[in-house]
């Protein structure tokens, strides 16, 4: 045991150095020394060892006002590459990056919308084309992570809860993609990836338990307990679109008050109807919310009715989980901002005992693709450097069925 201790210490120090360089970018020897706490000679030896192994490379010089310029060191991005994809019914948003997270190429490809086997082949061709622009083939990728609507059943790899994604149901989805790409592929629910991204770089960086509600054309949710995603026995945890709830809105939009699918209350088409009932015509839910906020007190009744619907949807989850935080995501949640969140919190507190705060998510852009990229990088860094994700659950994706 003692004979192996120096080697073990070297491995620990090497990983600490790699992790520091990945988090902060290129650094000088003295900067790295201060972070990992080694002596000057030990840090120099460490860098020499990592350079010989190909793990780090010299990355230019940093000039100072006085004295010689200092050598910069960086992780060798060419050691591994990953791809991340946000898959929707109409397109695939694809990004390829090296192991440092540097983006090499990104592209949004249109997909056929009629369903059938052609859509899977078109998707594979699109990924190959984008990966090819980076000078790679899918087989050379260390990890491919696909964010998809619905949920993949870990028992058989079949995609469920996604009738709006024709052509992707009835077969082992991750297994089929692995065959097409000859590379490691994992498929994760798109809203789960948004939650992972919020843990990595958003409002949930220091939160152990939270619920994220996605409000857009449709709805979805993710539940995180002890910084681990709750996926459920069939992968369908968080698929609250199908949950039946009453409509507590005061305005009548023809919704059955005794119980209806939550997706029929909070999807964009029905939110547009609710806005029109309050005299706010709009083409989609997030436009209606922005109009209501801009109109001040005149828009408050619509926002309050919308908040009642949202609170009704998350009340059961909050009662069971008692999370630290509820996050509103998606175009509608982002449009509502803090004001809509305050209204939702007030309505939620009338329905449940926990006084859970409600807040909008912080991550902007395409959080599904960003979450997929963070997850792919976590997989690649574990394979190449032995690092485990410190900001969220290490991403495993959907395993190949037995």
């Amino acid at each position: 045991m003692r004979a192996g201790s120096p080697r073990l210490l070297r491995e620990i120090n090497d990983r600490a150095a790699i992790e520091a360089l990945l988090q902060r970018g290129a650094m000088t020897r003295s900067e790295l020394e201060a972070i990992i706490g080694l002596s000057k000679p030990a840090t120099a030896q460490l860098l020499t060892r990592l350079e010989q192994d190909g793990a780090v490379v010299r990355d230019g010089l940093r000039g100072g006002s006085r004295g010689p310029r200092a050598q910069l060191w960086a992780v060798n991005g060419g050691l591994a590459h990953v791809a991340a994809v946000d898959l929707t019914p109409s397109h695939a948003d694809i990004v390829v990056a090296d192991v440092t997270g540097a983006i090499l190429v990104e592209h949004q490809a249109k997909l056929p919308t009629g369903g059938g086997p052609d859509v899977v082949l078109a998707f594979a061709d699109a990924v190959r084309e984008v990966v090819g622009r980076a000078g790679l083939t899918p087989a050379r990728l260390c990890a491919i992570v696909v964010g998809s609507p619905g949920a993949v059943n870990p028992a058989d790899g079949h995609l469920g809860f996604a009738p709006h994604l024709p052509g992707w149901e009835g077969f082992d989805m991750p297994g089929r993609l692995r065959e097409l790409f000859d590379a490691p592929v994992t498929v994760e629910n798109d809203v789960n990836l948004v939650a992972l991204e919020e843990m990595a770089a958003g409002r949930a960086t220091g939160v152990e338990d939270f619920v994220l509600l996605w409000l857009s054309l449709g709805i979805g949710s993710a539940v995180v307990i002890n910084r681990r995603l709750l996926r459920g026995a069939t992968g369908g945890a968080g698929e609250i679109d199908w949950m039946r709830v009453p409509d507590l809105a005061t305005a009548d939009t023809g919704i059955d008050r005794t119980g209806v699918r939550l997706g029929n209350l909070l999807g964009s088409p029905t939110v547009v109807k609710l806005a029109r009932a309050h005299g706010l015509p709009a083409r989609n839910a997030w436009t209606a919310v922005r109009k209501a906020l801009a109109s001040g007190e005149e828009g408050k009744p619509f926002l309050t009715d919308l908040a009642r619907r949202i609170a009704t949807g998350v009340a059961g989850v909050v009662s069971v989980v008692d999370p630290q935080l509820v996050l509103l995501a998606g175009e509608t949640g982002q449009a509502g901002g803090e004001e809509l969140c305050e209204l939702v919190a007030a309505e939620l507190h009338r329905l449940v005992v926990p006084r859970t705060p409600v807040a909008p998510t912080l991550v902007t852009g395409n959080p599904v693709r960003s979450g997929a990229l963070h997850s792919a990088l976590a997989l690649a860094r574990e394979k190449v450097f032995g690092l485990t994700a410190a900001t969220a659950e290490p991403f495993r994706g959907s395993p190949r069925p037995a």
Side-chain angles (χ1 to χ4, degrees):
M1 185 67 143
R2 290 184 179 179
S5 296
R7 180 178 178 181
L8 178 60
L9 287 173
R10 283 197 300 271
E11 290 178 354
I12 292 172
N13 290 333
D14 289 354
R15 289 174 185 172
I18 291 292
E19 193 165 17
L21 290 169
L22 286 171
Q23 290 176 352
R24 300 168 183 260
M27 286 189 286
T28 65
R29 178 202 51 75
S30 60
E31 291 170 338
L32 185 59
E33 174 189 324
I35 291 173
I36 62 178
L38 293 180
S39 66
K40 179 177 178 179
T43 306
Q45 291 174 5
L46 178 149
L47 288 170
T48 299
R49 182 169 63 250
L50 291 177
E51 184 182 27
Q52 291 173 347
D53 290 342
V56 301
V57 294
R58 298 170 190 257
D59 192 34
L61 301 171
R62 175 174 293 159
S65 57
R66 297 179 182 179
R69 294 190 295 172
Q71 178 67 58
L72 287 170
W73 298 87
V75 172
N76 181 3
L79 283 175
H81 298 86
V82 301
V85 188
D86 174 19
L87 173 63
T88 75
S90 61
H91 66 269
D93 197 342
I94 309 162
V95 61
V96 180
D98 68 25
V99 75
T100 69
I103 293 177
L104 304 181
V105 63
E106 53 188 333
H107 177 68
Q108 187 176 100
K110 290 185 178 180
L111 298 177
T113 56
D118 289 347
V119 68
V120 179
L121 297 177
F123 171 80
D125 289 341
V127 172
R128 288 193 194 97
E129 180 184 351
V130 176
V131 173
R133 294 182 191 178
L136 302 164
T137 62
R140 290 181 57 191
L141 297 176
C142 194
I144 301 174
V145 175
V146 179
S148 166
V152 171
N153 190 325
D156 56 18
H158 287 210
L159 181 69
F161 307 98
H164 54 301
L165 205 65
W168 289 95
E169 296 179 294
F171 60 92
D172 175 6
M173 181 180 179
R176 176 69 173 135
L177 294 179
R178 291 186 191 109
E179 292 172 357
L180 288 171
F181 296 133
D182 190 25
V185 180
T186 53
V187 180
E188 177 62 280
N189 171 261
D190 49 5
V191 182
N192 280 351
L193 289 173
V194 177
L196 288 174
E197 185 66 5
E198 281 295 314
M199 282 194 279
R203 200 178 292 275
T205 52
V207 180
E208 295 291 320
D209 310 316
F210 67 95
V211 174
L212 184 144
L213 182 65
W214 179 268
L215 301 167
S216 183
L217 289 173
I219 69 165
S221 75
V223 180
V224 174
I225 306 295
N226 294 327
R227 296 191 68 77
R228 295 181 64 87
L229 278 167
L230 181 65
R231 291 189 173 88
T234 64
E239 292 293 341
I240 60 175
D241 175 280
W242 303 83
M243 183 172 65
R244 295 190 69 84
V245 296
D247 182 12
L248 300 184
T250 58
D252 185 7
T253 58
I255 297 290
D256 186 350
R257 299 303 178 114
T258 63
V260 68
R261 265 181 50 189
L262 184 60
N264 288 344
L265 285 183
L266 295 178
S268 182
T270 47
V271 173
V272 166
K273 289 182 181 179
L274 182 64
R276 286 175 181 165
H278 283 282
L280 289 167
R283 66 180 183 276
N284 53 49
W286 44 98
T287 301
V289 170
R290 291 192 189 101
K291 278 188 175 182
L293 290 171
S295 63
E297 287 300 314
E298 292 182 5
K300 193 73 171 289
F302 160 68
L303 291 174
T304 302
D305 263 356
L306 178 58
R308 290 190 180 106
R309 287 183 172 182
I310 295 171
T312 305
V314 298
V317 182
V318 169
S319 294
V320 173
V321 175
D322 189 16
Q324 296 168 264
L325 182 65
V326 171
L327 290 174
L328 299 188
E331 290 92 339
T332 307
Q334 288 289 306
E338 296 287 351
E339 186 168 340
L340 178 60
C341 288
E342 290 175 4
L343 291 172
V344 172
E347 296 298 328
L348 183 62
H349 297 166
R350 293 188 179 97
L351 299 174
V352 298
V353 173
R355 291 297 180 257
T356 310
V358 182
T361 53
L362 289 181
V363 177
T364 57
N366 186 337
V368 176
R369 199 188 76 173
S370 297
L373 180 56
H374 263 116
S375 301
L377 289 171
L379 284 172
R381 290 167 181 177
E382 184 175 24
K383 286 181 182 179
V384 176
F385 304 119
L387 301 177
T388 55
T391 56
E393 171 195 4
F395 184 79
R396 302 297 173 192
S398 304
R400 182 185 293 274

